[in-house]
Amino acid sequence: MLEYIYQATGLLLIAFSIQSFMDKENPKAIGTGLFWLAYGVSFCLGSILPDWFVGVLVLLMTLIASAGLMGIGSYHSSDNEFRKASAKSLQNMLFLPAIIVPVGTILWSQVTGESALIGLGISSVAALLVANGMTKCRPVQSIHEGRRLIDTIGWAAILSQFLAALGYLFGQAGVGDTVSQIVKEIVPHGSVLAYVIAYTFGMAIFTIVMGNAFAAFAVITAGIGIPLLIVEMGGNPVIVGVLGMVSGYCGTLMTPMAANFNVVPAALLELENKNQVIITQFIPGFIMLLINTTFMYLFAF
C-alpha cells in the first residue's frame, strides 16, 4: 500500500509540473516544470526504473536547482477578501485539517501496526477532503495552492531526502568507525564527561553540517554513543539514545541545511532576513544542548 502513496504523491508532482509548463507568467516555466516532473517520475516509477535512470533524474534536478532555473509564476489563488471572510467565518476550525494529519498518522500506526507513512498519506487525503468541504472550494484549487506553496519552497523541499540518503551512505562507508577512532585519540580515555560532550556536541555539529538529525544519529551513535558510552562506560542506552537524538535536534535549530524547519518557514512568511528563524533559535538551541549534556552525564551512568 505504501507504493500507492508514493505513486499518488508522484501524480500530484506531475500535475504541478504540467501547470508549470503551461504557466506563461513564470519566466522559468520550463526549468520549474522539468524539476517537478523529474521528481514526480521518481515517485511514480522509482520501484521499476533502473537505478542509473533514477540517478540521472537526481542529477537533472541538481543541475536545474544549481543553475537557478526555477521560478515563481501565477497560481490562480483566491483573493484577499475571500481569505479574510473565510478566516472570519471558520475561525479556529481552520486548524482542523492540520490536526487531522498527525492524529491520523499516529492512530494508523498504533491501530494497524503498519508503516506510519501510509497513515500520513491517508490522513493527508482526509485533511484535504475536510479542507475542501469547509472552504467550499473547487478541488482543483488545492492543486493551485499546492503548486504555489511548493514553488515558494523550491528545491529545498527535497533537501531532507538528499540528506537522509547521504547519512545512509556515510553509515555504509564506515564513517561511524572513523569518528570513534578520532574521539578516542582526542578526548581523555575513560572520561565519562568527555565522552558525553563529544557525543552530544558531535550530534549537534554533525546535524548542523548534514541538516538532518536522523542522518547524524546513525553516524555519531555508531561511532560514539554505542561503543564508548553504552559498551565501554555502561551507560543506559535509553537515556543515551533519547538525549543524543534531542541533541541532534538542537543542531537542527541552528542550521540552514535543515531547510524544512528553518528555510521553508522564512520563505512562507516572506521574511526579509531568510536566516531570521535561525537567529531566533540559536541561543535557545545552545542552552538546550547544554541541558541535554548535563542530564546525560548525571542520569545515564
Side-chain angles (χ1 to χ4, degrees), residues 13-145:
L13 290 166
I14 291 173
F16 292 158
S17 73
I18 293 173
Q19 287 185 329
S20 295
F21 286 130
M22 298 173 62
D23 190 348
K24 296 181 180 180
E25 296 187 30
N26 186 350
K28 300 179 180 179
I30 300 300
T32 306
L34 282 175
F35 186 91
W36 299 125
L37 178 61
Y39 197 31
V41 169
S42 70
F43 268 94
C44 283
L45 305 176
S47 61
I48 60 176
L49 290 174
D51 294 342
W52 67 266
F53 190 83
V54 176
V56 170
L57 292 178
V58 172
L59 291 175
L60 174 62
M61 294 163 64
T62 304
L63 177 63
I64 292 172
S66 60
L69 299 179
M70 299 177 69
I72 302 296
S74 174
Y75 304 100
H76 306 286
S77 297
S78 55
D79 57 58
N80 289 332
E81 293 300 323
F82 173 81
R83 294 183 182 182
K84 291 179 180 179
S86 181
K88 185 176 181 179
S89 173
L90 295 173
Q91 296 184 355
N92 289 335
M93 289 297 291
L94 285 171
F95 293 101
L96 181 59
I99 294 173
I100 289 175
V101 175
V103 172
T105 302
I106 294 172
L107 287 177
W108 173 272
S109 178
Q110 294 298 316
V111 173
T112 66
E114 297 184 19
S115 172
L117 289 176
I118 298 176
L120 176 61
I122 295 175
S123 300
S124 298
V125 173
L128 176 60
L129 295 175
V130 170
N132 279 332
M134 290 170 51
T135 59
K136 296 179 173 58
C137 289
R138 295 179 302 163
V140 70
Q141 189 64 33
S142 62
I143 298 180
H144 291 315
E145 295 297 338

Side-chain angles (χ1 to χ4, degrees), residues 161-183:
Q161 286 181 281
F162 276 119
L163 295 173
L166 185 59
Y168 174 78
L169 292 176
F170 278 7
Q172 293 297 105
V175 175
D177 294 335
T178 303
V179 170
S180 178
Q181 292 300 320
I182 293 174
V183 170

